[in-house]
Amino acid sequence: MFTSVLMIEQPLTAVDVDFVTTLHGDDAVSFIVLMQPRGDQDRLLRAIDDVALGELPEAIHEGDEPEGDDALGPAAHALAHSLNALRAKGAKAVGQIIEDHPLDKLKTVVDEHGADEVIVLTAPHFVEEFFHRDWASRARHKVGVPVLKLFAHNE
């Protein structure tokens, strides 16, 4: 069975689930989903990304995103939704919320499970990507397995 570690920051959409579950054709795939609460990311960088994408109302409301302990409830709900969606497509899926140091946790999970790849499924983060400080760019130097970066879809 092929094992993929899937890093996400928002619930998987139906399009995302279809895409990641069909990446390896008919091969059986097991997913370990790592969810980072969105509020734990830098608010200013999120606002800049919103402006770059022409989503001005979202940029204005970045301050409304729950942070810290308040972000854990929405993250747990998003993780449960994503795991259920993957399982409904026939994939094995387990997951956890990442509260601190996402790349350190990613390295640990890859090593512990003997993962074959990492898939980073995220919204565009132009500033971080430009400076190669996004999850995927940094993970490529840390995990020792292929890292695939995909952009998440909105429903």
Side-chain angles (χ1 to χ4, degrees):
M1 179 170 291
F2 201 83
T3 302
S4 295
V5 178
L6 180 59
M7 291 188 72
I8 62 173
E9 60 187 358
Q10 63 189 30
L12 296 177
T13 66
V15 174
D16 295 332
V17 171
D18 285 341
F19 191 55
V20 298
T21 57
T22 59
L23 279 174
H24 299 288
D26 294 330
D27 294 339
V29 180
S30 172
F31 291 97
I32 303 158
V33 182
L34 302 179
M35 170 82 192
Q36 183 182 32
R38 191 161 188 260
D40 285 351
Q41 300 156 9
D42 188 289
R43 184 182 305 164
L44 176 61
L45 290 178
R46 291 192 324 252
I48 292 170
D49 289 337
D50 290 337
V51 170
L53 290 169
E55 298 172 348
L56 296 180
E58 286 82 356
I60 293 168
H61 294 289
E62 283 298 342
D64 299 337
E65 284 287 332
E67 295 183 354
D69 290 341
D70 294 336
L72 294 178
H77 181 73
L79 178 61
H81 165 82
S82 299
L83 293 173
N84 289 335
L86 290 166
R87 291 173 187 145
K89 285 291 187 177
K92 287 180 57 179
V94 297
Q96 59 186 286
I97 296 172
I98 306 170
E99 294 187 53
D100 295 310
H101 310 291
L103 293 174
D104 292 340
K105 183 63 176 179
L106 175 63
K107 173 73 171 142
T108 300
V109 168
V110 167
D111 291 344
E112 286 177 357
H113 295 273
D116 299 295
E117 70 180 356
V118 170
I119 301 171
V120 177
L121 188 66
T122 181
H125 297 290
F126 294 114
V127 175
E128 292 173 324
E129 290 168 21
F130 180 78
F131 292 106
H132 302 285
R133 301 302 305 152
D134 58 299
W135 284 348
S137 295
R138 293 179 5 202
R140 285 186 180 105
H141 302 288
K142 188 167 187 116
V143 298
V145 297
V147 177
L148 177 63
K149 179 178 183 172
L150 303 173
F151 289 119
H153 292 82
N154 293 325
E155 285 190 313

